[in-house]
Amino acid sequence: MTSTPGSAGRTDAVTPPPSEPARRVARFSRAERWVHRTTAALTLLCVATAAALYVPQLAELVGRRELVVTVHEWAGILLPAPFLLGLASPALRADLRRLNRFGPHDRRWLGAVRRRDHRRGARPAGKFNAGQKVYASWIAGAALVMLATGLLMWFTHLAPLVWRTSATFVHDWLALAMGVVLAGHIRMALADPEARRGMRTGSVERPWAEREHPLWLGEEPEDELAQRPEEGAEAG
């Protein structure tokens, strides 16, 4: 077969080389994702049942108040269970140590947020930024207070009336505050698809990690993508 002179050269020149997919790095283990999903499900159940108890329109729509109360109580009692079971995971314990460390770069991050400084490098962060550390500490403390006050409201013989009245006041207002904070958490997650993908599949793209958490990849030896077959299918 005769080819036209120069045609091969032109074809080679305009054919781009195949692009390689961005390398991904492991972010969350299977156990961490299970803890997050289960805790989120129980939390949403608590919020939904609380709304059905306190909003008159929802209470009339749902009905069966005694059943709703029972579901709310047991969802609250079980809320710490995923976390306690997850402590068997070395990856979860390692991330808890990261969340408990607050260094100079975290103070820089908070200062940049206060100044609304969005310049690249103005908000240094490790695997978790300062905002995530503050959120994790606040939500953990609030959950413990909610559990304690809920038990006082459930088991009325555990404390005198003035304690139960105070517990009801704290429980109700703290629940409202938690609802606002959780709504902010969900809003930020919806604005960052790659962060959601990291929690869903366990891995994130390296450029995202280098941009959002520039100090993370230097914390440990080189991160490797250790996706299982089902994780790879989920990522696709």
Side-chain angles (χ1 to χ4, degrees), residues 6-235:
S7 61
R10 287 195 300 272
T11 304
D12 293 342
V14 298
T15 303
S19 59
E20 295 182 0
R23 187 180 177 192
R24 301 182 66 80
V25 292
R27 182 161 175 83
F28 294 114
S29 68
R30 184 187 297 271
E32 290 177 292
R33 282 145 46 213
W34 176 85
V35 169
H36 184 270
R37 291 169 182 170
T38 310
T39 302
L42 289 170
T43 301
L44 290 177
L45 186 58
C46 286
V47 171
T49 51
L53 291 172
Y54 286 95
V55 179
Q57 294 81 357
L58 290 178
E60 294 176 2
L61 180 65
V62 175
R64 305 192 66 179
R65 182 179 179 85
E66 184 176 348
L67 176 60
V68 174
V69 170
T70 301
V71 172
H72 181 79
E73 290 170 341
W74 281 105
I77 288 291
L78 293 175
L79 191 58
F83 172 77
L84 295 175
L85 293 173
L87 289 176
S89 166
L92 178 60
R93 295 198 301 271
D95 277 349
L96 287 176
R97 289 192 291 270
R98 289 188 178 96
L99 288 168
N100 287 331
R101 288 199 299 265
F102 203 90
H105 62 281
D106 294 310
R107 287 188 286 273
R108 284 182 56 195
W109 192 95
L110 290 174
V113 171
R114 188 172 60 252
R115 298 189 304 271
R116 297 184 179 180
D117 187 349
H118 297 279
R119 292 176 301 166
R120 185 177 180 88
R123 302 184 182 188
K127 185 172 185 180
F128 303 103
N129 62 44
Q132 291 168 324
K133 293 178 180 181
V134 171
Y135 169 79
S137 299
W138 189 89
I139 204 71
L144 289 175
V145 174
M146 291 291 288
L147 179 61
T149 53
L151 288 173
L152 289 176
M153 295 165 61
W154 190 1
F155 300 102
T156 56
H157 62 282
L158 292 179
L161 177 61
V162 64
W163 285 27
R164 300 198 303 272
T165 303
S166 301
T168 302
F169 177 83
V170 172
H171 193 88
D172 291 351
W173 282 102
L174 185 56
L176 180 61
M178 287 186 69
V180 173
V181 172
L182 288 171
H185 177 69
I186 295 172
R187 179 175 177 271
M188 294 185 70
L190 292 175
D192 194 340
E194 189 61 25
R196 296 200 312 274
R197 191 177 185 186
M199 183 55 72
R200 189 177 73 251
T201 69
S203 69
V204 293
E205 292 183 353
R206 179 172 289 273
W208 179 90
E210 293 173 343
R211 182 181 68 253
E212 300 294 335
H213 301 270
L215 304 180
W216 169 33
L217 300 184
E219 289 179 350
E220 303 178 290
E222 184 74 8
D223 291 285
E224 296 293 340
L225 175 60
Q227 290 185 321
R228 295 176 176 84
E230 63 270 23
E231 293 175 337
E234 191 174 6

